[in-house]
mmCIF file of all heavy atoms in Angstrom:
data_model
loop_
_atom_site.group_PDB
_atom_site.id
_atom_site.type_symbol
_atom_site.label_atom_id
_atom_site.label_comp_id
_atom_site.label_asym_id
_atom_site.label_seq_id
_atom_site.Cartn_x
_atom_site.Cartn_y
_atom_site.Cartn_z
ATOM 1 N N THR A 11 -11.593 1.331 3.894
ATOM 2 C CA THR A 11 -11.359 0.129 3.047
ATOM 3 C C THR A 11 -11.187 0.487 1.552
ATOM 4 O O THR A 11 -10.337 -0.003 0.899
ATOM 5 C CB THR A 11 -12.522 -0.888 3.289
ATOM 6 O OG1 THR A 11 -12.618 -1.124 4.690
ATOM 7 C CG2 THR A 11 -12.308 -2.164 2.452
ATOM 8 N N ARG A 12 -12.145 1.284 1.127
ATOM 9 C CA ARG A 12 -11.995 1.664 -0.274
ATOM 10 C C ARG A 12 -10.816 2.522 -0.563
ATOM 11 O O ARG A 12 -10.143 2.463 -1.614
ATOM 12 C CB ARG A 12 -13.323 2.455 -0.717
ATOM 13 C CG ARG A 12 -14.502 1.528 -0.662
ATOM 14 C CD ARG A 12 -15.764 2.327 -0.967
ATOM 15 N NE ARG A 12 -16.032 2.196 -2.350
ATOM 16 C CZ ARG A 12 -17.031 2.813 -2.951
ATOM 17 N NH1 ARG A 12 -17.768 3.686 -2.320
ATOM 18 N NH2 ARG A 12 -17.125 2.657 -4.263
ATOM 19 N N MET A 13 -10.522 3.469 0.343
ATOM 20 C CA MET A 13 -9.296 4.291 0.242
ATOM 21 C C MET A 13 -8.035 3.301 0.136
ATOM 22 O O MET A 13 -7.122 3.469 -0.703
ATOM 23 C CB MET A 13 -9.118 5.261 1.337
ATOM 24 C CG MET A 13 -7.875 6.121 1.167
ATOM 25 S SD MET A 13 -7.710 7.537 2.376
ATOM 26 C CE MET A 13 -8.334 6.835 3.890
ATOM 27 N N GLY A 14 -7.976 2.359 1.012
ATOM 28 C CA GLY A 14 -6.806 1.405 0.989
ATOM 29 C C GLY A 14 -6.848 0.611 -0.376
ATOM 30 O O GLY A 14 -5.674 0.300 -0.834
ATOM 31 N N THR A 15 -7.970 0.244 -0.782
ATOM 32 C CA THR A 15 -7.986 -0.510 -2.133
ATOM 33 C C THR A 15 -7.474 0.428 -3.263
ATOM 34 O O THR A 15 -6.777 -0.035 -4.113
ATOM 35 C CB THR A 15 -9.450 -0.845 -2.449
ATOM 36 O OG1 THR A 15 -9.905 -1.740 -1.397
ATOM 37 C CG2 THR A 15 -9.630 -1.555 -3.828
ATOM 38 N N ARG A 16 -7.811 1.756 -3.197
ATOM 39 C CA ARG A 16 -7.313 2.589 -4.212
ATOM 40 C C ARG A 16 -5.740 2.790 -4.165
ATOM 41 O O ARG A 16 -5.086 2.779 -5.104
ATOM 42 C CB ARG A 16 -7.909 3.962 -4.077
ATOM 43 C CG ARG A 16 -9.417 3.948 -4.634
ATOM 44 C CD ARG A 16 -9.985 5.322 -4.697
ATOM 45 N NE ARG A 16 -10.365 5.859 -3.386
ATOM 46 C CZ ARG A 16 -11.558 5.654 -2.826
ATOM 47 N NH1 ARG A 16 -12.453 4.982 -3.383
ATOM 48 N NH2 ARG A 16 -11.799 6.239 -1.657
ATOM 49 N N ILE A 17 -5.270 2.748 -2.890
ATOM 50 C CA ILE A 17 -3.873 2.832 -2.736
ATOM 51 C C ILE A 17 -3.127 1.582 -3.215
ATOM 52 O O ILE A 17 -2.207 1.693 -3.941
ATOM 53 C CB ILE A 17 -3.495 3.102 -1.232
ATOM 54 C CG1 ILE A 17 -3.956 4.484 -0.754
ATOM 55 C CG2 ILE A 17 -1.981 2.892 -0.938
ATOM 56 C CD1 ILE A 17 -3.906 4.715 0.781
ATOM 57 N N ARG A 18 -3.710 0.467 -2.976
ATOM 58 C CA ARG A 18 -3.215 -0.814 -3.463
ATOM 59 C C ARG A 18 -3.197 -0.828 -5.053
ATOM 60 O O ARG A 18 -2.228 -1.245 -5.596
ATOM 61 C CB ARG A 18 -3.991 -1.961 -2.910
ATOM 62 C CG ARG A 18 -3.486 -3.323 -3.343
ATOM 63 C CD ARG A 18 -4.309 -4.514 -2.938
ATOM 64 N NE ARG A 18 -4.340 -4.607 -1.458
ATOM 65 C CZ ARG A 18 -5.466 -4.445 -0.777
ATOM 66 N NH1 ARG A 18 -6.584 -4.239 -1.343
ATOM 67 N NH2 ARG A 18 -5.363 -4.581 0.552
ATOM 68 N N GLN A 19 -4.292 -0.395 -5.616
ATOM 69 C CA GLN A 19 -4.417 -0.378 -7.052
ATOM 70 C C GLN A 19 -3.305 0.496 -7.706
ATOM 71 O O GLN A 19 -2.661 0.054 -8.692
ATOM 72 C CB GLN A 19 -5.732 0.118 -7.552
ATOM 73 C CG GLN A 19 -6.892 -0.831 -7.268
ATOM 74 C CD GLN A 19 -8.242 -0.250 -7.473
ATOM 75 O OE1 GLN A 19 -8.475 0.924 -7.486
ATOM 76 N NE2 GLN A 19 -9.233 -1.144 -7.633
ATOM 77 N N VAL A 20 -3.093 1.683 -7.180
ATOM 78 C CA VAL A 20 -2.070 2.533 -7.701
ATOM 79 C C VAL A 20 -0.702 1.920 -7.561
ATOM 80 O O VAL A 20 0.246 1.976 -8.436
ATOM 81 C CB VAL A 20 -2.160 3.949 -7.092
ATOM 82 C CG1 VAL A 20 -0.993 4.804 -7.573
ATOM 83 C CG2 VAL A 20 -3.521 4.614 -7.446
ATOM 84 N N ARG A 21 -0.463 1.351 -6.349
ATOM 85 C CA ARG A 21 0.894 0.772 -6.088
ATOM 86 C C ARG A 21 1.097 -0.441 -7.011
ATOM 87 O O ARG A 21 2.233 -0.542 -7.629
ATOM 88 C CB ARG A 21 0.932 0.207 -4.665
ATOM 89 C CG ARG A 21 2.097 -0.643 -4.246
ATOM 90 C CD ARG A 21 2.045 -1.207 -2.934
ATOM 91 N NE ARG A 21 0.980 -2.105 -2.583
ATOM 92 C CZ ARG A 21 0.889 -3.342 -2.906
ATOM 93 N NH1 ARG A 21 1.798 -3.973 -3.729
ATOM 94 N NH2 ARG A 21 -0.176 -4.177 -2.598
ATOM 95 N N LYS A 22 0.136 -1.270 -7.218
ATOM 96 C CA LYS A 22 0.254 -2.410 -8.179
ATOM 97 C C LYS A 22 0.396 -1.919 -9.581
ATOM 98 O O LYS A 22 1.216 -2.498 -10.344
ATOM 99 C CB LYS A 22 -0.888 -3.349 -8.020
ATOM 100 C CG LYS A 22 -0.942 -4.150 -6.738
ATOM 101 C CD LYS A 22 -1.952 -5.173 -6.736
ATOM 102 C CE LYS A 22 -1.741 -6.130 -5.564
ATOM 103 N NZ LYS A 22 -2.691 -7.313 -5.578
ATOM 104 N N ALA A 23 -0.308 -0.867 -9.951
ATOM 105 C CA ALA A 23 -0.086 -0.375 -11.302
ATOM 106 C C ALA A 23 1.378 0.123 -11.563
ATOM 107 O O ALA A 23 1.848 0.058 -12.735
ATOM 108 C CB ALA A 23 -1.051 0.809 -11.584
ATOM 109 N N LYS A 24 2.047 0.537 -10.504
ATOM 110 C CA LYS A 24 3.435 0.925 -10.670
ATOM 111 C C LYS A 24 4.337 -0.318 -10.613
ATOM 112 O O LYS A 24 5.501 -0.171 -10.818
ATOM 113 C CB LYS A 24 3.805 1.883 -9.567
ATOM 114 C CG LYS A 24 3.149 3.268 -9.701
ATOM 115 C CD LYS A 24 3.705 4.267 -8.657
ATOM 116 C CE LYS A 24 3.241 5.647 -8.965
ATOM 117 N NZ LYS A 24 3.774 6.259 -10.109
ATOM 118 N N GLY A 25 3.799 -1.464 -10.270
ATOM 119 C CA GLY A 25 4.600 -2.729 -10.245
ATOM 120 C C GLY A 25 5.390 -2.752 -8.957
ATOM 121 O O GLY A 25 6.442 -3.493 -8.878
ATOM 122 N N TRP A 26 4.993 -2.046 -7.915
ATOM 123 C CA TRP A 26 5.653 -2.081 -6.586
ATOM 124 C C TRP A 26 5.090 -3.074 -5.688
ATOM 125 O O TRP A 26 3.889 -3.291 -5.535
ATOM 126 C CB TRP A 26 5.556 -0.674 -5.971
ATOM 127 C CG TRP A 26 6.289 0.421 -6.688
ATOM 128 C CD1 TRP A 26 7.052 0.302 -7.783
ATOM 129 C CD2 TRP A 26 6.274 1.826 -6.401
ATOM 130 N NE1 TRP A 26 7.536 1.594 -8.131
ATOM 131 C CE2 TRP A 26 6.960 2.452 -7.309
ATOM 132 C CE3 TRP A 26 5.513 2.537 -5.381
ATOM 133 C CZ2 TRP A 26 7.147 3.883 -7.243
ATOM 134 C CZ3 TRP A 26 5.755 3.906 -5.389
ATOM 135 C CH2 TRP A 26 6.542 4.499 -6.359
ATOM 136 N N SER A 27 5.934 -3.654 -4.821
ATOM 137 C CA SER A 27 5.524 -4.541 -3.689
ATOM 138 C C SER A 27 5.145 -3.599 -2.660
ATOM 139 O O SER A 27 5.404 -2.388 -2.582
ATOM 140 C CB SER A 27 6.666 -5.450 -3.306
ATOM 141 O OG SER A 27 7.675 -4.649 -2.763
ATOM 142 N N GLN A 28 4.499 -4.177 -1.574
ATOM 143 C CA GLN A 28 4.161 -3.363 -0.370
ATOM 144 C C GLN A 28 5.488 -2.941 0.312
ATOM 145 O O GLN A 28 5.494 -1.801 0.818
ATOM 146 C CB GLN A 28 3.370 -4.220 0.628
ATOM 147 C CG GLN A 28 1.931 -4.340 0.222
ATOM 148 C CD GLN A 28 1.127 -5.082 1.357
ATOM 149 O OE1 GLN A 28 1.653 -5.913 2.091
ATOM 150 N NE2 GLN A 28 -0.121 -4.850 1.519
ATOM 151 N N ASP A 29 6.567 -3.708 0.254
ATOM 152 C CA ASP A 29 7.811 -3.366 0.884
ATOM 153 C C ASP A 29 8.358 -2.115 0.238
ATOM 154 O O ASP A 29 8.810 -1.245 0.965
ATOM 155 C CB ASP A 29 8.736 -4.480 0.784
ATOM 156 C CG ASP A 29 9.996 -4.325 1.629
ATOM 157 O OD1 ASP A 29 9.884 -3.898 2.749
ATOM 158 O OD2 ASP A 29 11.114 -4.547 1.031
ATOM 159 N N VAL A 30 8.291 -2.026 -1.152
ATOM 160 C CA VAL A 30 8.852 -0.907 -1.833
ATOM 161 C C VAL A 30 8.151 0.445 -1.412
ATOM 162 O O VAL A 30 8.784 1.417 -0.994
ATOM 163 C CB VAL A 30 8.679 -0.953 -3.395
ATOM 164 C CG1 VAL A 30 9.127 0.215 -4.094
ATOM 165 C CG2 VAL A 30 9.706 -2.151 -3.814
ATOM 166 N N LEU A 31 6.868 0.430 -1.433
ATOM 167 C CA LEU A 31 6.072 1.543 -1.085
ATOM 168 C C LEU A 31 6.241 1.901 0.439
ATOM 169 O O LEU A 31 6.470 3.043 0.745
ATOM 170 C CB LEU A 31 4.513 1.386 -1.256
ATOM 171 C CG LEU A 31 3.652 2.689 -1.012
ATOM 172 C CD1 LEU A 31 4.138 3.922 -1.645
ATOM 173 C CD2 LEU A 31 2.189 2.371 -1.332
ATOM 174 N N ALA A 32 6.242 0.949 1.211
ATOM 175 C CA ALA A 32 6.481 1.126 2.712
ATOM 176 C C ALA A 32 7.768 1.871 2.997
ATOM 177 O O ALA A 32 7.853 2.809 3.756
ATOM 178 C CB ALA A 32 6.387 -0.135 3.549
ATOM 179 N N LYS A 33 8.841 1.508 2.263
ATOM 180 C CA LYS A 33 10.213 2.038 2.513
ATOM 181 C C LYS A 33 10.148 3.503 2.026
ATOM 182 O O LYS A 33 10.799 4.379 2.562
ATOM 183 C CB LYS A 33 11.222 1.155 1.780
ATOM 184 C CG LYS A 33 11.587 0.025 2.493
ATOM 185 C CD LYS A 33 12.663 -0.860 1.845
ATOM 186 C CE LYS A 33 12.998 -2.129 2.623
ATOM 187 N NZ LYS A 33 13.684 -3.105 1.917
ATOM 188 N N LYS A 34 9.493 3.755 0.794
ATOM 189 C CA LYS A 34 9.445 5.109 0.300
ATOM 190 C C LYS A 34 8.686 6.052 1.187
ATOM 191 O O LYS A 34 8.850 7.260 1.221
ATOM 192 C CB LYS A 34 8.802 5.161 -0.960
ATOM 193 C CG LYS A 34 9.551 4.526 -2.214
ATOM 194 C CD LYS A 34 8.844 4.483 -3.545
ATOM 195 C CE LYS A 34 9.662 3.939 -4.604
ATOM 196 N NZ LYS A 34 10.746 4.848 -5.079
ATOM 197 N N CYS A 35 7.739 5.474 2.063
ATOM 198 C CA CYS A 35 6.834 6.288 2.953
ATOM 199 C C CYS A 35 7.394 6.339 4.346
ATOM 200 O O CYS A 35 6.864 7.069 5.136
ATOM 201 C CB CYS A 35 5.489 5.808 2.947
ATOM 202 S SG CYS A 35 4.711 5.869 1.329
ATOM 203 N N GLY A 36 8.412 5.549 4.652
ATOM 204 C CA GLY A 36 8.893 5.497 6.022
ATOM 205 C C GLY A 36 8.093 4.788 7.021
ATOM 206 O O GLY A 36 8.099 5.194 8.173
ATOM 207 N N ILE A 37 7.323 3.822 6.505
ATOM 208 C CA ILE A 37 6.443 3.028 7.454
ATOM 209 C C ILE A 37 6.751 1.544 7.279
ATOM 210 O O ILE A 37 7.417 1.220 6.305
ATOM 211 C CB ILE A 37 4.885 3.287 7.202
ATOM 212 C CG1 ILE A 37 4.563 2.865 5.739
ATOM 213 C CG2 ILE A 37 4.612 4.794 7.498
ATOM 214 C CD1 ILE A 37 3.049 3.069 5.419
ATOM 215 N N SER A 38 6.190 0.704 8.201
ATOM 216 C CA SER A 38 6.468 -0.647 8.019
ATOM 217 C C SER A 38 5.505 -1.312 7.077
ATOM 218 O O SER A 38 4.456 -0.773 6.719
ATOM 219 C CB SER A 38 6.261 -1.378 9.406
ATOM 220 O OG SER A 38 4.862 -1.388 9.699
ATOM 221 N N MET A 39 5.953 -2.408 6.494
ATOM 222 C CA MET A 39 5.236 -3.150 5.538
ATOM 223 C C MET A 39 3.938 -3.593 6.161
ATOM 224 O O MET A 39 2.836 -3.636 5.510
ATOM 225 C CB MET A 39 5.967 -4.335 4.937
ATOM 226 C CG MET A 39 5.315 -4.947 3.760
ATOM 227 S SD MET A 39 6.290 -6.220 2.916
ATOM 228 C CE MET A 39 6.332 -7.517 4.088
ATOM 229 N N SER A 40 3.956 -3.954 7.462
ATOM 230 C CA SER A 40 2.773 -4.414 8.128
ATOM 231 C C SER A 40 1.702 -3.309 8.185
ATOM 232 O O SER A 40 0.565 -3.506 8.049
ATOM 233 C CB SER A 40 3.189 -4.886 9.532
ATOM 234 O OG SER A 40 2.027 -5.179 10.291
ATOM 235 N N PHE A 41 2.218 -2.096 8.542
ATOM 236 C CA PHE A 41 1.373 -0.954 8.633
ATOM 237 C C PHE A 41 0.703 -0.603 7.314
ATOM 238 O O PHE A 41 -0.565 -0.307 7.252
ATOM 239 C CB PHE A 41 2.029 0.229 9.247
ATOM 240 C CG PHE A 41 1.076 1.407 9.531
ATOM 241 C CD1 PHE A 41 -0.048 1.417 10.256
ATOM 242 C CD2 PHE A 41 1.493 2.688 9.019
ATOM 243 C CE1 PHE A 41 -0.991 2.418 10.445
ATOM 244 C CE2 PHE A 41 0.598 3.831 9.256
ATOM 245 C CZ PHE A 41 -0.602 3.601 9.995
ATOM 246 N N LEU A 42 1.488 -0.718 6.300
ATOM 247 C CA LEU A 42 0.933 -0.459 4.917
ATOM 248 C C LEU A 42 -0.141 -1.467 4.585
ATOM 249 O O LEU A 42 -1.188 -1.066 4.066
ATOM 250 C CB LEU A 42 1.987 -0.454 3.880
ATOM 251 C CG LEU A 42 1.603 -0.252 2.469
ATOM 252 C CD1 LEU A 42 0.842 1.140 2.197
ATOM 253 C CD2 LEU A 42 2.741 -0.386 1.340
ATOM 254 N N GLY A 43 0.077 -2.720 5.006
ATOM 255 C CA GLY A 43 -0.886 -3.756 4.708
ATOM 256 C C GLY A 43 -2.199 -3.369 5.398
ATOM 257 O O GLY A 43 -3.382 -3.595 4.879
ATOM 258 N N HIS A 44 -2.098 -2.948 6.729
ATOM 259 C CA HIS A 44 -3.340 -2.507 7.365
ATOM 260 C C HIS A 44 -3.997 -1.412 6.684
ATOM 261 O O HIS A 44 -5.244 -1.367 6.603
ATOM 262 C CB HIS A 44 -2.934 -2.117 8.838
ATOM 263 C CG HIS A 44 -2.793 -3.222 9.810
ATOM 264 N ND1 HIS A 44 -3.914 -4.032 10.208
ATOM 265 C CD2 HIS A 44 -1.655 -3.854 10.273
ATOM 266 C CE1 HIS A 44 -3.451 -4.951 10.977
ATOM 267 N NE2 HIS A 44 -2.083 -4.965 11.123
ATOM 268 N N ILE A 45 -3.231 -0.380 6.208
ATOM 269 C CA ILE A 45 -3.862 0.750 5.482
ATOM 270 C C ILE A 45 -4.474 0.262 4.248
ATOM 271 O O ILE A 45 -5.717 0.640 4.035
ATOM 272 C CB ILE A 45 -2.691 1.773 5.112
ATOM 273 C CG1 ILE A 45 -2.174 2.446 6.376
ATOM 274 C CG2 ILE A 45 -3.228 2.770 4.177
ATOM 275 C CD1 ILE A 45 -0.893 3.278 6.090
ATOM 276 N N GLU A 46 -3.862 -0.602 3.458
ATOM 277 C CA GLU A 46 -4.519 -1.136 2.280
ATOM 278 C C GLU A 46 -5.821 -1.919 2.542
ATOM 279 O O GLU A 46 -6.679 -1.989 1.707
ATOM 280 C CB GLU A 46 -3.532 -1.896 1.374
ATOM 281 C CG GLU A 46 -2.522 -1.100 0.815
ATOM 282 C CD GLU A 46 -1.451 -1.768 -0.147
ATOM 283 O OE1 GLU A 46 -1.588 -3.064 -0.186
ATOM 284 O OE2 GLU A 46 -0.686 -1.127 -0.830
ATOM 285 N N ARG A 47 -5.855 -2.552 3.674
ATOM 286 C CA ARG A 47 -7.102 -3.314 4.165
ATOM 287 C C ARG A 47 -8.136 -2.395 4.813
ATOM 288 O O ARG A 47 -9.287 -2.865 5.054
ATOM 289 C CB ARG A 47 -6.705 -4.532 4.974
ATOM 290 C CG ARG A 47 -5.991 -5.623 4.221
ATOM 291 C CD ARG A 47 -5.808 -6.807 5.089
ATOM 292 N NE ARG A 47 -5.058 -6.592 6.395
ATOM 293 C CZ ARG A 47 -3.828 -6.465 6.467
ATOM 294 N NH1 ARG A 47 -2.988 -6.676 5.461
ATOM 295 N NH2 ARG A 47 -3.174 -6.316 7.634
ATOM 296 N N GLY A 48 -7.755 -1.200 5.168
ATOM 297 C CA GLY A 48 -8.654 -0.336 5.837
ATOM 298 C C GLY A 48 -8.786 -0.677 7.314
ATOM 299 O O GLY A 48 -9.851 -0.173 7.912
#
């Protein structure tokens, strides 16, 4: 959960949506959401 929070914080600091980061990582936005929630 804390790791996901840190990922979310860095993503938001870059001004990126979940969709942008998910595409850059080759994963679904849904899976990224699960990662960010832990």
Side-chain angles (χ1 to χ4, degrees):
T11 302
R12 293 176 92 186
M13 183 173 35
T15 298
R16 288 187 285 271
I17 291 169
R18 181 183 299 115
Q19 288 171 339
V20 175
R21 174 183 59 77
K22 285 186 172 188
K24 291 186 172 290
W26 293 353
S27 66
Q28 282 184 332
D29 190 48
V30 169
L31 179 56
K33 284 179 181 171
K34 288 179 179 283
C35 296
I37 60 176
S38 71
M39 192 172 70
S40 173
F41 184 51
L42 179 60
H44 280 287
I45 291 169
E46 289 186 351
R47 289 187 303 279

